[in-house]
Structure formats: structure tokens, C-alpha cells
Amino acid sequence: MAAQRVVIGLDSSTQATKAVAVDAESGQVLGEGRAPHTVSTGAGRESDPRQWWSALCAAIEQTGYAARAEALSIGGQQHGLVTLDAAGDPVRPALLWNDVRSAPQAAALVNRFGAGWWATRIGSVPNASFTAAKWAWLREHEPHHADHVAAVRLPHDYLIERLTGESVTDRGDVSGTAWWTPSGYDAEVLAAIGLDSAALPIVASPDRPAGHTRADIPVRQGIPVGVGTGDNMAAALGLGLAPGMPVLSLGTSGTVYARTRARPHDPTGVVAGFADAGADWLPLACTLNCTQAIDRIAALLSLDRNAVEPGGSAVVLPYLDGERTPQLPFASGLMHGLRHDTTPGQLLQAAYDGAVYSLLAALDLVLSPSSAIGLAAAPSAGGEADSSASPQSNPETSPDRNTARSDGDVPAPDPATPLLLIGGGARGTAWQQTVLRLSGRAVQIPPAGELVALGAAAQAAGLLTGEDPYAVARRWRTAEGPLLEPVPRDTEALERIAATLRAAEPLLTAGGAA
């Protein structure tokens, strides 16, 4: 009988580092670890990268398999700006993905080149989350720090470098910076933000190790370390995601994405044209306000998070941290349509509806990335974009339509395909029922709790077996889970939210919502 081979996958997220030790053959989770991070709650959202390293070491040790692991890899929170000096120490705390102070710099970058240029050249129209905007903010507001930066890294890059001594990144995570294209780092963007490409890591092949473990870490020296990737790309690996299968992730942020063969481009900026962790693409839309925002509203109402009630006319737009989708970085939360008979449970349900509405409207664009719809328009009943909301680009003349490799046999998105519901919120009854009621789709809930870490583990296992990490995860059957049958779509609720969002947009844009 062959000896058991163990790999470790890590998820260095906003709030914590999680680790899973996995049997490379069966996918059985043998041990788990978790260590928290601290995030500032002042003017921005920042973390000291050194605590990520401490948390990574602690989480690995907690698995109980640190001494047996034969390979490991990391999925990390996207977009974060890690700035290092010549000695490799952080110049300042990292600016995290949900720090919206760089919204003016993002807008200036879009105005400089035009949204169409960004969509065509980079694949994404930058917003406050993107690393390029954060670097522009740093150069403008903290030049004394920017002048001492010798190296710029993404969060997972920083950890890979601590593990191996190699300065590398992967195409998936680096596609969220807004300074990378399939041809390499974009000199025009780097010049616009005042960043030298010499400060950036090498973009490494995903099927080769980034390097091997050094001696001063809590695993065996010399084992291979995967190149790693961003957290969303790692979750797609963890699901063994097939092209065209839609995913809705409910975490601190909400995300919707699908794997595609052709490179996406959305000039509206709603869909980010990310690369995946292999050779394909991962068009993705993200909201800033998801489970954490709804939990906060539940606490304000003195309710359990599942204590929702049907009915009522209230609309809640839960934009407590500003919002990325729709693009309202300085918005605050809004409640509208209250009556004498409105109950706290109805208000809480309205908050769930407001959060899910934004994700489903964005999902229409993810599944039809050559279309342009407005988020003030209700998501369409068939899962296709509502072309009446704003003009469409011509799919025959749109640039980059065929710039990525394409198998030519990928079917069009099927509205009957179940929606994979993942993330911490996917276990919540109120979240499940809200997604069912507003999407009109069947919903499948994979049982795996740590898909980002599992995706990193699949990448690590692929280093040992030579398999594609997606194939590893499919062999592990990570996406299989309970299937919730579709219910009739609540179009009345969708239209009520859409009308409120259209009417309130000037107030939300001004940041004066209450």
C-alpha cells in the first residue's frame, strides 16, 4: 500500500489565516488550523503583513501535519498593496482590498486612458480596490513612504517570498493589480502611477513550484511551494470549476464569477477580467458589503441573523463600507419605504435582499461579459443581461473577444445550471432562501468549508502528481453537495430595489445616505 502523501493549503484572508492538511490522493482533510489577523478600522483598512506570517506559521502547526507535508501553497486576499524596503521589511501597513481611500486615484486613472482602453488593454476598469490605484494613492499622500519602497508585493506574494526566498507571483492574482496584461507588465500604466517594474515579482508558471521551503519555517526544508494565487482563483480551483458554471460567494465581501476560455472585457467596470490560476479566465464582480454588513444590521435591530420575516415594503441598501458594485465608494447604508407596520424582521430580510440583488445583477454581466447593463436594472429572469438598461457592445467587433485561447466548444451559459453557493454565508438559511427567491435558479451548496485553502492544497497536490489542479479537485469531489430546487423569482422585490437604487443614486453618490 502506497504511503499517504500530505499537502497543506493555506488561505490568508482579510480576517485570518486558515490551513488544511489534505491527503493528496483522496482529498480527505486530515487537520485544520486557524489564526486571526488584526485589521485597522480607522480612515482606511490596513494590516501589518508580518502578522500574516505569524498567523501562517501558527495555522500550519495547528494542522498537526507540518512535519509530514510534502508540498504546500497559498491563496491570499486579492489587491492588497504590500510595500517593502531594501531589507524586505514592510515600509508601512498593507493597504487592503476594501480600503476605498484610493477611489479618486482610480477615477483619475480611468479618466486618463478611458474605460474602453482599460477594458481592452488590461481586461478590467480599475476601481478603489485595485492595487494600481492604491499605489497612486500612496505616492500622492505618503511620498515619504513611497520613496523608500524597494519592492511591491501582493499579500500572497509576500508570504511565498517568506517561505521560499523567491519573488514570484501568478497570473491570477496579478491580474487584479491593473498593471498586468497577458504580455507582461504594462509600461504605460506603470509610468502613469510612478512605479518601476523592477520592484515587481516575476510572473511564474502555475504548473511549476515557486521555490522550496527555507530552513526557518514550521515545515520540512526543501519541499515544493506552489506559486499560489488570489483567493477567488484558489476557490475556483478548490471547486474544480468547469467553464460556464456560475459561483456566488458569501463572505465579508460578496463575489460572483465563472471560468471562461475567452478573455473578458467589460467597459462598465462591473466585471473584472481576471485571469484564473491556470490558462483560462475568471470574470468576477465583487461587492464590499455582504455577511459582515448584514450581521451588523441584525445587531442594530437586536435580532439573530436568521430572524427574517416576509412581506413589507421596505428596501435596505446595506452599503455600510461604501460599495464597489454598484460603484459607490463613498455611500453609506440606506433604508427606504418604512411603514407603521414594518417589523424588524422585515427590515432584516430587506437587508439580505439588497445585498443579494447587487450580486445577481452583477452575475448577469459575468455570464454575458460582452453586454453592458446598469445595476439599477433588475436582474433578468432568465439569467441573461437586460440590454434595455444601457447600450450593448457588439460581440462581433468588441476587442479582445478571441485574444485568449478558446476550445471553440464551450456552450453558452445555461440558466438551468445550478448556482454554486459558497462562503461562510452559504451555511445560513436566510442567505440560502434569499438567493433562491431572487435568482430563480437551483442552488447547490458544496460541503467543503475552506475552498480557498482546498484550492491551494489542490495546487500543491498537482506539484506532486503532475495533474492539473482543477482535475485534482474534481477527483476530490469538492463541489458535490445538497441541491436546492428553484422557486419562482420574486420580481416584485427586485423591481422595488431597482427603483429605489435609481432614485437614491444621487444621494448615495454624494455619501449622504442615512
Side-chain angles (χ1 to χ4, degrees):
M1 186 178 196
Q4 184 182 57
R5 309 190 75 182
V6 178
V7 294
I8 290 178
L10 293 135
D11 171 11
S12 182
S13 68
T14 311
Q15 304 292 335
T17 294
K18 291 149 279 188
V20 293
V22 180
D23 181 325
E25 177 60 31
S26 69
Q28 178 187 359
V29 175
L30 305 170
E32 299 184 63
R34 187 183 191 280
H37 304 161
T38 300
V39 179
S40 71
T41 56
R45 297 290 184 269
E46 302 181 352
S47 284
D48 184 343
R50 289 169 292 201
Q51 69 171 320
W52 303 338
W53 174 250
S54 299
L56 177 143
C57 293
I60 287 175
E61 289 179 332
Q62 288 173 24
T63 68
Y65 283 82
R68 289 186 55 188
E70 296 185 42
L72 73 156
S73 192
I74 302 170
Q77 55 179 304
Q78 286 189 250
H79 302 304
L81 176 67
V82 181
T83 51
L84 306 176
D85 62 19
D89 295 320
V91 171
R92 69 177 313 286
L95 297 172
L96 303 186
W97 63 273
N98 54 351
D99 189 320
V100 298
R101 287 176 291 178
S102 55
Q105 288 72 32
L109 286 170
V110 175
N111 289 336
R112 176 165 182 165
F113 296 110
W117 183 94
W118 284 101
T120 300
R121 179 89 158 248
I122 304 298
S124 301
V125 180
N127 56 44
S129 293
F130 280 70
T131 324
K134 297 185 187 305
W135 174 259
W137 180 91
L138 189 72
R139 287 217 56 91
E140 182 175 336
H141 290 274
E142 298 181 4
H144 58 292
H145 283 143
D147 289 345
H148 286 87
V149 172
V152 171
R153 301 289 184 263
L154 294 165
H156 108 267
D157 304 341
Y158 170 77
L159 295 170
I160 293 289
E161 194 163 359
R162 291 289 302 261
L163 283 166
T164 66
E166 303 292 337
S167 57
V168 299
T169 190
D170 90 298
R171 67 190 290 274
D173 207 4
V174 78
S175 65
T177 60
W179 59 54
W180 175 86
T181 78
S183 300
Y185 292 127
D186 191 281
E188 200 164 356
V189 173
L190 294 178
I193 61 175
L195 180 60
D196 189 339
S197 63
L200 300 175
I202 294 169
V203 182
S205 172
D207 58 354
R208 301 287 297 277
H212 294 79
T213 51
R214 303 194 296 188
D216 55 344
I217 59 175
V219 292
R220 289 186 297 157
Q221 182 179 2
I223 66 171
V225 178
V227 70
T229 193
D231 51 5
N232 291 297
M233 298 80 188
L237 282 183
L239 289 166
L241 197 64
M245 184 176 293
V247 178
L248 193 155
S249 177
L250 300 168
T252 302
S253 64
T255 55
V256 287
Y257 56 85
R259 183 178 166 206
T260 64
R261 300 296 194 194
R263 187 184 182 201
H265 59 278
D266 173 23
T268 72
V270 173
V271 177
F274 294 147
D276 78 340
D280 293 325
W281 301 91
L282 198 75
L284 177 147
C286 175
T287 64
L288 295 181
N289 298 275
C290 196
T291 58
Q292 198 171 62
I294 302 311
D295 285 352
R296 179 58 183 152
I297 291 171
L300 289 172
L301 296 170
S302 299
L303 295 176
D304 179 87
R305 63 167 65 104
N306 284 312
V308 295
E309 297 178 29
S313 58
V315 171
V316 177
L317 303 178
Y319 304 155
L320 306 190
D321 284 324
E323 191 44 83
R324 171 171 165 173
T325 306
Q327 193 169 348
L328 299 165
F330 301 113
S332 53
L334 181 145
M335 293 183 180
H336 175 72
L338 276 64
R339 303 289 185 183
H340 280 291
D341 59 353
T342 302
T343 68
Q346 289 171 343
L347 272 180
L348 182 57
Q349 180 61 70
Y352 277 97
D353 287 1
V356 171
Y357 170 88
S358 293
L359 287 165
L360 293 177
L363 182 62
D364 280 345
L365 259 181
V366 165
L367 295 178
S368 187
S370 63
S371 299
I373 63 169
L375 280 175
S380 57
E384 298 297 330
D386 178 0
S387 60
S388 65
S390 62
Q392 288 187 324
S393 60
N394 185 338
E396 295 304 322
T397 58
S398 294
D400 283 353
R401 182 170 178 258
N402 295 305
T403 54
R405 72 177 179 85
S406 175
D407 291 349
D409 58 356
V410 179
D414 182 356
T417 301
L419 182 59
L420 290 179
L421 192 64
I422 66 170
R427 304 292 179 267
T429 302
W431 282 110
Q432 293 173 5
Q433 295 303 314
T434 302
V435 172
L436 273 174
R437 181 171 54 83
L438 297 186
S439 72
R441 284 181 177 267
V443 171
Q444 189 160 20
I445 306 171
E450 298 296 345
L451 282 167
V452 174
L454 277 173
Q459 188 182 77
L463 295 178
L464 300 182
T465 67
E467 294 172 275
D468 178 86
Y470 285 109
V472 171
R474 284 193 288 271
R475 177 162 57 75
W476 291 351
R477 303 172 69 176
T478 54
E480 296 181 10
L483 183 68
L484 307 180
E485 295 297 331
V487 301
R489 207 169 203 202
D490 189 347
T491 56
E492 181 180 347
L494 292 169
E495 289 165 359
R496 185 166 61 244
I497 298 167
T500 301
L501 182 53
R502 280 193 296 267
E505 188 169 358
L507 184 63
L508 293 167
T509 302

